[in-house]
Amino acid sequence: MKVIKILDIYTIMPYKIKGNCIYKKDTGKKVGCTKGSIKRYLAALHANVTNEQKIQIKSKLKEILRRSLKETLLSETANSEVNDVTLKAELTKNKGINFEQFEIDKIKEIVQINNEDTDRGMELSFEKTIGENTFYFVIKKLINEADSSKTSFKYIIFYVEKKNAASLEEKTIVYSKLSDPIKALIEGEKTDLSKKSKIESEIVKFINNSMKVNI
């Protein structure tokens, strides 16, 4: 996972550093200077921080971590992002093909969903809460247009942050990631367990790569 920001507790304490001196953030008043380690000097000051200030610091840390998690999920996992569109519009542009039942079963197993309503033939949808944010995901199976023989396909995952029931109808940023091409099963291979297993492995790899955080 890409590090969005190195968290330094000194940056959210009630003091700031200028050279070898410490100043109060709120008033700008100099607290003192040192010829030694400035961080050791600052640590000594932090030992005297009030409980109320410690609670505020913890709150700020939680917010930074929550924002960092959200930004990492949304920026690192998406091949593309489209602003000011609805999820429905993006799904409609990407016409899907039907999943095989074993694909649906494997996806549900990986993302740990049991709701039968998630299965709509050409798309599989589910919600996951990560930290304080809820995301709505849709997985589709597409014909690989670059393959003239039409014997391969790709998976695509779309997701948006869901803030309320109306979020999915509102214009927002829709993120998506596309898998590498996967060889499709031809009619005589649909009962071949080894070939099914290869596709299941591709599903696992794709979802793990698409959803960097452990859902």
Side-chain angles (χ1 to χ4, degrees), residues 99 101 103-120 123-129 135-139 157 203 207 211 215:
F99 288 102
Q101 186 59 49
E103 294 172 294
I104 294 172
D105 293 342
K106 177 55 70 173
I107 291 170
K108 286 185 175 182
E109 175 191 325
I110 297 166
V111 298
Q112 299 174 358
I113 50 176
N114 300 309
N115 186 354
E116 292 301 322
D117 292 339
T118 57
D119 173 21
R120 292 182 289 185
E123 56 189 58
L124 191 66
S125 60
F126 58 94
E127 292 179 15
K128 281 291 178 180
T129 298
F135 296 92
Y136 186 81
F137 296 86
V138 179
I139 300 177
I157 189 165
I203 292 172
I207 291 180
M211 305 175 75
I215 62 169

PDB file of all heavy atoms in Angstrom, residues 99 101 103-120 123-129 135-139 157 203 207 211 215:
ATOM      1  N   PHE A  99     -22.061 -14.079 -15.992  1.00  0.00           N
ATOM      2  CA  PHE A  99     -21.118 -14.885 -15.229  1.00  0.00           C
ATOM      3  C   PHE A  99     -21.548 -16.351 -15.268  1.00  0.00           C
ATOM      4  O   PHE A  99     -22.739 -16.661 -15.352  1.00  0.00           O
ATOM      5  CB  PHE A  99     -21.117 -14.456 -13.749  1.00  0.00           C
ATOM      6  CG  PHE A  99     -20.473 -13.129 -13.479  1.00  0.00           C
ATOM      7  CD1 PHE A  99     -21.246 -11.999 -13.267  1.00  0.00           C
ATOM      8  CD2 PHE A  99     -19.097 -13.014 -13.391  1.00  0.00           C
ATOM      9  CE1 PHE A  99     -20.670 -10.781 -12.982  1.00  0.00           C
ATOM     10  CE2 PHE A  99     -18.502 -11.793 -13.109  1.00  0.00           C
ATOM     11  CZ  PHE A  99     -19.292 -10.671 -12.904  1.00  0.00           C
ATOM     12  N   GLN A 101     -21.912 -19.703 -12.948  1.00  0.00           N
ATOM     13  CA  GLN A 101     -22.263 -19.805 -11.530  1.00  0.00           C
ATOM     14  C   GLN A 101     -21.028 -19.970 -10.646  1.00  0.00           C
ATOM     15  O   GLN A 101     -20.949 -19.414  -9.546  1.00  0.00           O
ATOM     16  CB  GLN A 101     -23.228 -20.980 -11.299  1.00  0.00           C
ATOM     17  CG  GLN A 101     -23.761 -21.068  -9.868  1.00  0.00           C
ATOM     18  CD  GLN A 101     -24.506 -19.813  -9.443  1.00  0.00           C
ATOM     19  OE1 GLN A 101     -25.375 -19.319 -10.173  1.00  0.00           O
ATOM     20  NE2 GLN A 101     -24.170 -19.278  -8.273  1.00  0.00           N
ATOM     21  N   GLU A 103     -18.157 -18.669 -11.054  1.00  0.00           N
ATOM     22  CA  GLU A 103     -17.518 -17.364 -10.886  1.00  0.00           C
ATOM     23  C   GLU A 103     -18.233 -16.564  -9.797  1.00  0.00           C
ATOM     24  O   GLU A 103     -17.590 -15.929  -8.948  1.00  0.00           O
ATOM     25  CB  GLU A 103     -17.558 -16.586 -12.205  1.00  0.00           C
ATOM     26  CG  GLU A 103     -16.719 -17.194 -13.319  1.00  0.00           C
ATOM     27  CD  GLU A 103     -16.948 -16.485 -14.642  1.00  0.00           C
ATOM     28  OE1 GLU A 103     -18.071 -16.556 -15.186  1.00  0.00           O
ATOM     29  OE2 GLU A 103     -15.990 -15.850 -15.121  1.00  0.00           O
ATOM     30  N   ILE A 104     -19.564 -16.575  -9.843  1.00  0.00           N
ATOM     31  CA  ILE A 104     -20.352 -15.875  -8.829  1.00  0.00           C
ATOM     32  C   ILE A 104     -20.034 -16.427  -7.446  1.00  0.00           C
ATOM     33  O   ILE A 104     -19.809 -15.667  -6.485  1.00  0.00           O
ATOM     34  CB  ILE A 104     -21.862 -16.013  -9.125  1.00  0.00           C
ATOM     35  CG1 ILE A 104     -22.213 -15.286 -10.425  1.00  0.00           C
ATOM     36  CG2 ILE A 104     -22.702 -15.467  -7.965  1.00  0.00           C
ATOM     37  CD1 ILE A 104     -23.628 -15.533 -10.907  1.00  0.00           C
ATOM     38  N   ASP A 105     -19.990 -17.751  -7.339  1.00  0.00           N
ATOM     39  CA  ASP A 105     -19.712 -18.382  -6.048  1.00  0.00           C
ATOM     40  C   ASP A 105     -18.332 -17.987  -5.525  1.00  0.00           C
ATOM     41  O   ASP A 105     -18.158 -17.733  -4.322  1.00  0.00           O
ATOM     42  CB  ASP A 105     -19.796 -19.910  -6.176  1.00  0.00           C
ATOM     43  CG  ASP A 105     -21.210 -20.391  -6.477  1.00  0.00           C
ATOM     44  OD1 ASP A 105     -22.167 -19.607  -6.247  1.00  0.00           O
ATOM     45  OD2 ASP A 105     -21.358 -21.536  -6.963  1.00  0.00           O
ATOM     46  N   LYS A 106     -17.340 -17.948  -6.408  1.00  0.00           N
ATOM     47  CA  LYS A 106     -15.978 -17.613  -5.984  1.00  0.00           C
ATOM     48  C   LYS A 106     -15.891 -16.150  -5.543  1.00  0.00           C
ATOM     49  O   LYS A 106     -15.258 -15.838  -4.517  1.00  0.00           O
ATOM     50  CB  LYS A 106     -14.988 -17.891  -7.118  1.00  0.00           C
ATOM     51  CG  LYS A 106     -13.536 -17.500  -6.821  1.00  0.00           C
ATOM     52  CD  LYS A 106     -12.994 -18.128  -5.546  1.00  0.00           C
ATOM     53  CE  LYS A 106     -12.791 -19.618  -5.679  1.00  0.00           C
ATOM     54  NZ  LYS A 106     -12.111 -20.193  -4.474  1.00  0.00           N
ATOM     55  N   ILE A 107     -16.527 -15.248  -6.281  1.00  0.00           N
ATOM     56  CA  ILE A 107     -16.502 -13.824  -5.907  1.00  0.00           C
ATOM     57  C   ILE A 107     -17.170 -13.623  -4.556  1.00  0.00           C
ATOM     58  O   ILE A 107     -16.662 -12.912  -3.686  1.00  0.00           O
ATOM     59  CB  ILE A 107     -17.186 -12.965  -6.997  1.00  0.00           C
ATOM     60  CG1 ILE A 107     -16.328 -12.964  -8.276  1.00  0.00           C
ATOM     61  CG2 ILE A 107     -17.385 -11.527  -6.505  1.00  0.00           C
ATOM     62  CD1 ILE A 107     -17.016 -12.364  -9.485  1.00  0.00           C
ATOM     63  N   LYS A 108     -18.309 -14.269  -4.362  1.00  0.00           N
ATOM     64  CA  LYS A 108     -19.005 -14.142  -3.077  1.00  0.00           C
ATOM     65  C   LYS A 108     -18.160 -14.695  -1.929  1.00  0.00           C
ATOM     66  O   LYS A 108     -18.151 -14.151  -0.827  1.00  0.00           O
ATOM     67  CB  LYS A 108     -20.350 -14.865  -3.136  1.00  0.00           C
ATOM     68  CG  LYS A 108     -21.402 -14.136  -3.959  1.00  0.00           C
ATOM     69  CD  LYS A 108     -22.734 -14.848  -3.882  1.00  0.00           C
ATOM     70  CE  LYS A 108     -23.824 -14.063  -4.601  1.00  0.00           C
ATOM     71  NZ  LYS A 108     -25.144 -14.719  -4.485  1.00  0.00           N
ATOM     72  N   GLU A 109     -17.431 -15.750  -2.214  1.00  0.00           N
ATOM     73  CA  GLU A 109     -16.564 -16.343  -1.190  1.00  0.00           C
ATOM     74  C   GLU A 109     -15.438 -15.387  -0.813  1.00  0.00           C
ATOM     75  O   GLU A 109     -15.132 -15.189   0.368  1.00  0.00           O
ATOM     76  CB  GLU A 109     -15.977 -17.650  -1.728  1.00  0.00           C
ATOM     77  CG  GLU A 109     -14.966 -18.311  -0.803  1.00  0.00           C
ATOM     78  CD  GLU A 109     -14.222 -19.450  -1.486  1.00  0.00           C
ATOM     79  OE1 GLU A 109     -14.832 -20.156  -2.324  1.00  0.00           O
ATOM     80  OE2 GLU A 109     -13.027 -19.625  -1.183  1.00  0.00           O
ATOM     81  N   ILE A 110     -14.834 -14.748  -1.831  1.00  0.00           N
ATOM     82  CA  ILE A 110     -13.692 -13.867  -1.580  1.00  0.00           C
ATOM     83  C   ILE A 110     -14.106 -12.627  -0.796  1.00  0.00           C
ATOM     84  O   ILE A 110     -13.445 -12.222   0.154  1.00  0.00           O
ATOM     85  CB  ILE A 110     -13.033 -13.434  -2.911  1.00  0.00           C
ATOM     86  CG1 ILE A 110     -12.477 -14.647  -3.638  1.00  0.00           C
ATOM     87  CG2 ILE A 110     -11.913 -12.425  -2.657  1.00  0.00           C
ATOM     88  CD1 ILE A 110     -12.120 -14.360  -5.082  1.00  0.00           C
ATOM     89  N   VAL A 111     -15.202 -12.000  -1.215  1.00  0.00           N
ATOM     90  CA  VAL A 111     -15.605 -10.742  -0.565  1.00  0.00           C
ATOM     91  C   VAL A 111     -16.542 -10.970   0.609  1.00  0.00           C
ATOM     92  O   VAL A 111     -16.986 -10.027   1.245  1.00  0.00           O
ATOM     93  CB  VAL A 111     -16.239  -9.760  -1.578  1.00  0.00           C
ATOM     94  CG1 VAL A 111     -15.242  -9.388  -2.647  1.00  0.00           C
ATOM     95  CG2 VAL A 111     -17.499 -10.332  -2.198  1.00  0.00           C
ATOM     96  N   GLN A 112     -16.846 -12.236   0.883  1.00  0.00           N
ATOM     97  CA  GLN A 112     -17.629 -12.617   2.050  1.00  0.00           C
ATOM     98  C   GLN A 112     -19.012 -11.973   2.057  1.00  0.00           C
ATOM     99  O   GLN A 112     -19.388 -11.270   2.975  1.00  0.00           O
ATOM    100  CB  GLN A 112     -16.871 -12.267   3.330  1.00  0.00           C
ATOM    101  CG  GLN A 112     -15.540 -12.989   3.432  1.00  0.00           C
ATOM    102  CD  GLN A 112     -14.728 -12.549   4.623  1.00  0.00           C
ATOM    103  OE1 GLN A 112     -15.125 -11.681   5.373  1.00  0.00           O
ATOM    104  NE2 GLN A 112     -13.559 -13.143   4.791  1.00  0.00           N
ATOM    105  N   ILE A 113     -19.745 -12.215   0.982  1.00  0.00           N
ATOM    106  CA  ILE A 113     -21.119 -11.740   0.902  1.00  0.00           C
ATOM    107  C   ILE A 113     -22.041 -12.933   0.695  1.00  0.00           C
ATOM    108  O   ILE A 113     -21.699 -13.884   0.001  1.00  0.00           O
ATOM    109  CB  ILE A 113     -21.319 -10.716  -0.242  1.00  0.00           C
ATOM    110  CG1 ILE A 113     -20.744 -11.237  -1.564  1.00  0.00           C
ATOM    111  CG2 ILE A 113     -20.691  -9.385   0.108  1.00  0.00           C
ATOM    112  CD1 ILE A 113     -20.999 -10.326  -2.739  1.00  0.00           C
ATOM    113  N   ASN A 114     -23.199 -12.869   1.311  1.00  0.00           N
ATOM    114  CA  ASN A 114     -24.149 -13.973   1.237  1.00  0.00           C
ATOM    115  C   ASN A 114     -25.487 -13.569   0.627  1.00  0.00           C
ATOM    116  O   ASN A 114     -26.336 -14.405   0.361  1.00  0.00           O
ATOM    117  CB  ASN A 114     -24.407 -14.527   2.653  1.00  0.00           C
ATOM    118  CG  ASN A 114     -23.129 -15.037   3.292  1.00  0.00           C
ATOM    119  OD1 ASN A 114     -22.416 -15.812   2.690  1.00  0.00           O
ATOM    120  ND2 ASN A 114     -22.852 -14.578   4.497  1.00  0.00           N
ATOM    121  N   ASN A 115     -25.675 -12.273   0.402  1.00  0.00           N
ATOM    122  CA  ASN A 115     -26.963 -11.773  -0.074  1.00  0.00           C
ATOM    123  C   ASN A 115     -27.203 -12.199  -1.527  1.00  0.00           C
ATOM    124  O   ASN A 115     -26.483 -11.801  -2.432  1.00  0.00           O
ATOM    125  CB  ASN A 115     -26.970 -10.240   0.040  1.00  0.00           C
ATOM    126  CG  ASN A 115     -28.317  -9.646  -0.306  1.00  0.00           C
ATOM    127  OD1 ASN A 115     -29.233 -10.351  -0.737  1.00  0.00           O
ATOM    128  ND2 ASN A 115     -28.440  -8.351  -0.100  1.00  0.00           N
ATOM    129  N   GLU A 116     -28.225 -12.984  -1.756  1.00  0.00           N
ATOM    130  CA  GLU A 116     -28.516 -13.460  -3.115  1.00  0.00           C
ATOM    131  C   GLU A 116     -28.915 -12.329  -4.057  1.00  0.00           C
ATOM    132  O   GLU A 116     -28.813 -12.445  -5.261  1.00  0.00           O
ATOM    133  CB  GLU A 116     -29.633 -14.511  -3.061  1.00  0.00           C
ATOM    134  CG  GLU A 116     -29.228 -15.807  -2.377  1.00  0.00           C
ATOM    135  CD  GLU A 116     -28.041 -16.479  -3.056  1.00  0.00           C
ATOM    136  OE1 GLU A 116     -27.949 -16.455  -4.295  1.00  0.00           O
ATOM    137  OE2 GLU A 116     -27.182 -17.022  -2.334  1.00  0.00           O
ATOM    138  N   ASP A 117     -29.378 -11.212  -3.487  1.00  0.00           N
ATOM    139  CA  ASP A 117     -29.788 -10.077  -4.331  1.00  0.00           C
ATOM    140  C   ASP A 117     -28.606  -9.430  -5.042  1.00  0.00           C
ATOM    141  O   ASP A 117     -28.783  -8.616  -5.939  1.00  0.00           O
ATOM    142  CB  ASP A 117     -30.500  -9.018  -3.479  1.00  0.00           C
ATOM    143  CG  ASP A 117     -31.846  -9.508  -2.970  1.00  0.00           C
ATOM    144  OD1 ASP A 117     -32.378 -10.452  -3.578  1.00  0.00           O
ATOM    145  OD2 ASP A 117     -32.346  -8.954  -1.982  1.00  0.00           O
ATOM    146  N   THR A 118     -27.380  -9.759  -4.612  1.00  0.00           N
ATOM    147  CA  THR A 118     -26.210  -9.171  -5.263  1.00  0.00           C
ATOM    148  C   THR A 118     -26.024  -9.703  -6.680  1.00  0.00           C
ATOM    149  O   THR A 118     -25.362  -9.084  -7.499  1.00  0.00           O
ATOM    150  CB  THR A 118     -24.928  -9.475  -4.471  1.00  0.00           C
ATOM    151  OG1 THR A 118     -24.809 -10.887  -4.347  1.00  0.00           O
ATOM    152  CG2 THR A 118     -24.972  -8.833  -3.096  1.00  0.00           C
ATOM    153  N   ASP A 119     -26.598 -10.849  -6.960  1.00  0.00           N
ATOM    154  CA  ASP A 119     -26.423 -11.482  -8.271  1.00  0.00           C
ATOM    155  C   ASP A 119     -27.494 -11.000  -9.241  1.00  0.00           C
ATOM    156  O   ASP A 119     -28.673 -11.252  -9.058  1.00  0.00           O
ATOM    157  CB  ASP A 119     -26.494 -13.004  -8.110  1.00  0.00           C
ATOM    158  CG  ASP A 119     -26.489 -13.730  -9.448  1.00  0.00           C
ATOM    159  OD1 ASP A 119     -26.033 -13.112 -10.430  1.00  0.00           O
ATOM    160  OD2 ASP A 119     -26.930 -14.883  -9.491  1.00  0.00           O
ATOM    161  N   ARG A 120     -27.046 -10.287 -10.282  1.00  0.00           N
ATOM    162  CA  ARG A 120     -27.995  -9.817 -11.287  1.00  0.00           C
ATOM    163  C   ARG A 120     -27.561 -10.267 -12.679  1.00  0.00           C
ATOM    164  O   ARG A 120     -27.715  -9.539 -13.648  1.00  0.00           O
ATOM    165  CB  ARG A 120     -28.128  -8.291 -11.221  1.00  0.00           C
ATOM    166  CG  ARG A 120     -28.808  -7.831  -9.938  1.00  0.00           C
ATOM    167  CD  ARG A 120     -28.992  -6.337  -9.900  1.00  0.00           C
ATOM    168  NE  ARG A 120     -27.716  -5.666  -9.732  1.00  0.00           N
ATOM    169  CZ  ARG A 120     -27.597  -4.358  -9.576  1.00  0.00           C
ATOM    170  NH1 ARG A 120     -28.662  -3.593  -9.578  1.00  0.00           N
ATOM    171  NH2 ARG A 120     -26.419  -3.799  -9.442  1.00  0.00           N
ATOM    172  N   GLU A 123     -23.891  -8.534 -13.582  1.00  0.00           N
ATOM    173  CA  GLU A 123     -23.117  -7.754 -12.631  1.00  0.00           C
ATOM    174  C   GLU A 123     -23.365  -8.256 -11.217  1.00  0.00           C
ATOM    175  O   GLU A 123     -24.425  -8.783 -10.900  1.00  0.00           O
ATOM    176  CB  GLU A 123     -23.422  -6.263 -12.743  1.00  0.00           C
ATOM    177  CG  GLU A 123     -24.871  -5.888 -12.580  1.00  0.00           C
ATOM    178  CD  GLU A 123     -25.110  -4.422 -12.915  1.00  0.00           C
ATOM    179  OE1 GLU A 123     -24.796  -4.017 -14.052  1.00  0.00           O
ATOM    180  OE2 GLU A 123     -25.613  -3.714 -12.040  1.00  0.00           O
ATOM    181  N   LEU A 124     -22.364  -8.111 -10.412  1.00  0.00           N
ATOM    182  CA  LEU A 124     -22.429  -8.563  -9.031  1.00  0.00           C
ATOM    183  C   LEU A 124     -22.083  -7.358  -8.162  1.00  0.00           C
ATOM    184  O   LEU A 124     -21.038  -6.740  -8.359  1.00  0.00           O
ATOM    185  CB  LEU A 124     -21.416  -9.685  -8.814  1.00  0.00           C
ATOM    186  CG  LEU A 124     -21.493 -10.473  -7.521  1.00  0.00           C
ATOM    187  CD1 LEU A 124     -22.793 -11.274  -7.467  1.00  0.00           C
ATOM    188  CD2 LEU A 124     -20.313 -11.430  -7.414  1.00  0.00           C
ATOM    189  N   SER A 125     -22.942  -7.006  -7.230  1.00  0.00           N
ATOM    190  CA  SER A 125     -22.721  -5.795  -6.444  1.00  0.00           C
ATOM    191  C   SER A 125     -22.717  -6.113  -4.953  1.00  0.00           C
ATOM    192  O   SER A 125     -23.362  -7.053  -4.502  1.00  0.00           O
ATOM    193  CB  SER A 125     -23.798  -4.759  -6.758  1.00  0.00           C
ATOM    194  OG  SER A 125     -25.082  -5.270  -6.462  1.00  0.00           O
ATOM    195  N   PHE A 126     -21.998  -5.289  -4.214  1.00  0.00           N
ATOM    196  CA  PHE A 126     -21.951  -5.458  -2.763  1.00  0.00           C
ATOM    197  C   PHE A 126     -21.415  -4.182  -2.131  1.00  0.00           C
ATOM    198  O   PHE A 126     -20.812  -3.339  -2.793  1.00  0.00           O
ATOM    199  CB  PHE A 126     -21.085  -6.653  -2.365  1.00  0.00           C
ATOM    200  CG  PHE A 126     -19.657  -6.572  -2.853  1.00  0.00           C
ATOM    201  CD1 PHE A 126     -18.651  -6.059  -2.061  1.00  0.00           C
ATOM    202  CD2 PHE A 126     -19.326  -7.018  -4.133  1.00  0.00           C
ATOM    203  CE1 PHE A 126     -17.350  -5.984  -2.516  1.00  0.00           C
ATOM    204  CE2 PHE A 126     -18.021  -6.958  -4.595  1.00  0.00           C
ATOM    205  CZ  PHE A 126     -17.026  -6.433  -3.779  1.00  0.00           C
ATOM    206  N   GLU A 127     -21.677  -4.043  -0.839  1.00  0.00           N
ATOM    207  CA  GLU A 127     -21.184  -2.903  -0.073  1.00  0.00           C
ATOM    208  C   GLU A 127     -20.188  -3.403   0.955  1.00  0.00           C
ATOM    209  O   GLU A 127     -20.320  -4.499   1.483  1.00  0.00           O
ATOM    210  CB  GLU A 127     -22.329  -2.205   0.656  1.00  0.00           C
ATOM    211  CG  GLU A 127     -23.317  -1.511  -0.244  1.00  0.00           C
ATOM    212  CD  GLU A 127     -24.445  -0.858   0.543  1.00  0.00           C
ATOM    213  OE1 GLU A 127     -24.300  -0.713   1.787  1.00  0.00           O
ATOM    214  OE2 GLU A 127     -25.467  -0.512  -0.067  1.00  0.00           O
ATOM    215  N   LYS A 128     -19.182  -2.564   1.231  1.00  0.00           N
ATOM    216  CA  LYS A 128     -18.255  -2.873   2.307  1.00  0.00           C
ATOM    217  C   LYS A 128     -17.933  -1.580   3.047  1.00  0.00           C
ATOM    218  O   LYS A 128     -17.689  -0.543   2.427  1.00  0.00           O
ATOM    219  CB  LYS A 128     -16.957  -3.476   1.764  1.00  0.00           C
ATOM    220  CG  LYS A 128     -17.062  -4.945   1.391  1.00  0.00           C
ATOM    221  CD  LYS A 128     -17.225  -5.820   2.624  1.00  0.00           C
ATOM    222  CE  LYS A 128     -17.373  -7.282   2.247  1.00  0.00           C
ATOM    223  NZ  LYS A 128     -17.531  -8.134   3.449  1.00  0.00           N
ATOM    224  N   THR A 129     -17.929  -1.656   4.367  1.00  0.00           N
ATOM    225  CA  THR A 129     -17.530  -0.513   5.184  1.00  0.00           C
ATOM    226  C   THR A 129     -16.066  -0.686   5.551  1.00  0.00           C
ATOM    227  O   THR A 129     -15.667  -1.719   6.086  1.00  0.00           O
ATOM    228  CB  THR A 129     -18.391  -0.416   6.453  1.00  0.00           C
ATOM    229  OG1 THR A 129     -19.760  -0.223   6.065  1.00  0.00           O
ATOM    230  CG2 THR A 129     -17.956   0.765   7.316  1.00  0.00           C
ATOM    231  N   PHE A 135     -18.276   1.771   0.873  1.00  0.00           N
ATOM    232  CA  PHE A 135     -18.071   1.781  -0.573  1.00  0.00           C
ATOM    233  C   PHE A 135     -19.021   0.787  -1.224  1.00  0.00           C
ATOM    234  O   PHE A 135     -19.292  -0.287  -0.679  1.00  0.00           O
ATOM    235  CB  PHE A 135     -16.622   1.433  -0.915  1.00  0.00           C
ATOM    236  CG  PHE A 135     -15.636   2.429  -0.405  1.00  0.00           C
ATOM    237  CD1 PHE A 135     -15.037   2.270   0.837  1.00  0.00           C
ATOM    238  CD2 PHE A 135     -15.313   3.543  -1.154  1.00  0.00           C
ATOM    239  CE1 PHE A 135     -14.140   3.194   1.328  1.00  0.00           C
ATOM    240  CE2 PHE A 135     -14.418   4.479  -0.674  1.00  0.00           C
ATOM    241  CZ  PHE A 135     -13.827   4.316   0.569  1.00  0.00           C
ATOM    242  N   TYR A 136     -19.523   1.162  -2.380  1.00  0.00           N
ATOM    243  CA  TYR A 136     -20.425   0.311  -3.156  1.00  0.00           C
ATOM    244  C   TYR A 136     -19.642  -0.193  -4.357  1.00  0.00           C
ATOM    245  O   TYR A 136     -19.109   0.606  -5.146  1.00  0.00           O
ATOM    246  CB  TYR A 136     -21.644   1.106  -3.603  1.00  0.00           C
ATOM    247  CG  TYR A 136     -22.701   0.286  -4.297  1.00  0.00           C
ATOM    248  CD1 TYR A 136     -23.618  -0.466  -3.559  1.00  0.00           C
ATOM    249  CD2 TYR A 136     -22.797   0.260  -5.684  1.00  0.00           C
ATOM    250  CE1 TYR A 136     -24.602  -1.219  -4.193  1.00  0.00           C
ATOM    251  CE2 TYR A 136     -23.772  -0.494  -6.322  1.00  0.00           C
ATOM    252  CZ  TYR A 136     -24.666  -1.226  -5.575  1.00  0.00           C
ATOM    253  OH  TYR A 136     -25.633  -1.977  -6.198  1.00  0.00           O
ATOM    254  N   PHE A 137     -19.528  -1.505  -4.494  1.00  0.00           N
ATOM    255  CA  PHE A 137     -18.738  -2.123  -5.552  1.00  0.00           C
ATOM    256  C   PHE A 137     -19.647  -2.856  -6.541  1.00  0.00           C
ATOM    257  O   PHE A 137     -20.649  -3.450  -6.139  1.00  0.00           O
ATOM    258  CB  PHE A 137     -17.776  -3.155  -4.963  1.00  0.00           C
ATOM    259  CG  PHE A 137     -16.736  -2.586  -4.039  1.00  0.00           C
ATOM    260  CD1 PHE A 137     -17.009  -2.404  -2.694  1.00  0.00           C
ATOM    261  CD2 PHE A 137     -15.478  -2.254  -4.508  1.00  0.00           C
ATOM    262  CE1 PHE A 137     -16.055  -1.895  -1.827  1.00  0.00           C
ATOM    263  CE2 PHE A 137     -14.511  -1.749  -3.656  1.00  0.00           C
ATOM    264  CZ  PHE A 137     -14.801  -1.568  -2.310  1.00  0.00           C
ATOM    265  N   VAL A 138     -19.269  -2.823  -7.802  1.00  0.00           N
ATOM    266  CA  VAL A 138     -19.943  -3.627  -8.830  1.00  0.00           C
ATOM    267  C   VAL A 138     -18.869  -4.311  -9.665  1.00  0.00           C
ATOM    268  O   VAL A 138     -17.939  -3.657 -10.147  1.00  0.00           O
ATOM    269  CB  VAL A 138     -20.841  -2.782  -9.750  1.00  0.00           C
ATOM    270  CG1 VAL A 138     -21.488  -3.669 -10.815  1.00  0.00           C
ATOM    271  CG2 VAL A 138     -21.919  -2.061  -8.945  1.00  0.00           C
ATOM    272  N   ILE A 139     -18.991  -5.628  -9.824  1.00  0.00           N
ATOM    273  CA  ILE A 139     -18.067  -6.382 -10.679  1.00  0.00           C
ATOM    274  C   ILE A 139     -18.830  -6.864 -11.902  1.00  0.00           C
ATOM    275  O   ILE A 139     -19.945  -7.387 -11.790  1.00  0.00           O
ATOM    276  CB  ILE A 139     -17.476  -7.583  -9.927  1.00  0.00           C
ATOM    277  CG1 ILE A 139     -16.710  -7.103  -8.697  1.00  0.00           C
ATOM    278  CG2 ILE A 139     -16.547  -8.393 -10.845  1.00  0.00           C
ATOM    279  CD1 ILE A 139     -16.143  -8.225  -7.850  1.00  0.00           C
ATOM    280  N   ILE A 157     -14.054  -3.911 -12.157  1.00  0.00           N
ATOM    281  CA  ILE A 157     -14.678  -3.558 -10.890  1.00  0.00           C
ATOM    282  C   ILE A 157     -14.873  -2.044 -10.850  1.00  0.00           C
ATOM    283  O   ILE A 157     -13.979  -1.285 -11.214  1.00  0.00           O
ATOM    284  CB  ILE A 157     -13.843  -4.052  -9.683  1.00  0.00           C
ATOM    285  CG1 ILE A 157     -14.613  -3.861  -8.389  1.00  0.00           C
ATOM    286  CG2 ILE A 157     -12.472  -3.419  -9.621  1.00  0.00           C
ATOM    287  CD1 ILE A 157     -14.026  -4.640  -7.214  1.00  0.00           C
ATOM    288  N   ILE A 203      -9.683 -14.758 -10.687  1.00  0.00           N
ATOM    289  CA  ILE A 203     -10.643 -13.945  -9.926  1.00  0.00           C
ATOM    290  C   ILE A 203     -10.015 -13.503  -8.610  1.00  0.00           C
ATOM    291  O   ILE A 203     -10.082 -12.321  -8.231  1.00  0.00           O
ATOM    292  CB  ILE A 203     -11.946 -14.733  -9.655  1.00  0.00           C
ATOM    293  CG1 ILE A 203     -12.710 -14.986 -10.951  1.00  0.00           C
ATOM    294  CG2 ILE A 203     -12.835 -13.977  -8.662  1.00  0.00           C
ATOM    295  CD1 ILE A 203     -13.909 -15.915 -10.790  1.00  0.00           C
ATOM    296  N   ILE A 207      -9.275  -9.531  -7.699  1.00  0.00           N
ATOM    297  CA  ILE A 207      -9.923  -8.849  -6.580  1.00  0.00           C
ATOM    298  C   ILE A 207      -8.894  -8.411  -5.544  1.00  0.00           C
ATOM    299  O   ILE A 207      -8.958  -7.295  -5.014  1.00  0.00           O
ATOM    300  CB  ILE A 207     -11.019  -9.730  -5.960  1.00  0.00           C
ATOM    301  CG1 ILE A 207     -12.185  -9.857  -6.946  1.00  0.00           C
ATOM    302  CG2 ILE A 207     -11.518  -9.139  -4.636  1.00  0.00           C
ATOM    303  CD1 ILE A 207     -13.336 -10.702  -6.481  1.00  0.00           C
ATOM    304  N   MET A 211      -8.538  -4.432  -4.704  1.00  0.00           N
ATOM    305  CA  MET A 211      -8.941  -3.933  -3.393  1.00  0.00           C
ATOM    306  C   MET A 211      -7.775  -4.120  -2.454  1.00  0.00           C
ATOM    307  O   MET A 211      -7.637  -5.127  -1.788  1.00  0.00           O
ATOM    308  CB  MET A 211     -10.193  -4.683  -2.929  1.00  0.00           C
ATOM    309  CG  MET A 211     -11.316  -4.608  -3.949  1.00  0.00           C
ATOM    310  SD  MET A 211     -12.763  -5.595  -3.534  1.00  0.00           S
ATOM    311  CE  MET A 211     -13.483  -4.581  -2.256  1.00  0.00           C
ATOM    312  N   ILE A 215     -10.593  -6.380   2.932  1.00  0.00           N
ATOM    313  CA  ILE A 215     -12.009  -6.157   3.190  1.00  0.00           C
ATOM    314  C   ILE A 215     -12.609  -7.336   3.922  1.00  0.00           C
ATOM    315  O   ILE A 215     -13.786  -7.336   4.203  1.00  0.00           O
ATOM    316  CB  ILE A 215     -12.779  -5.894   1.893  1.00  0.00           C
ATOM    317  CG1 ILE A 215     -12.704  -7.119   0.961  1.00  0.00           C
ATOM    318  CG2 ILE A 215     -12.258  -4.679   1.186  1.00  0.00           C
ATOM    319  CD1 ILE A 215     -13.646  -7.039  -0.196  1.00  0.00           C
TER     320      ILE A 215
END
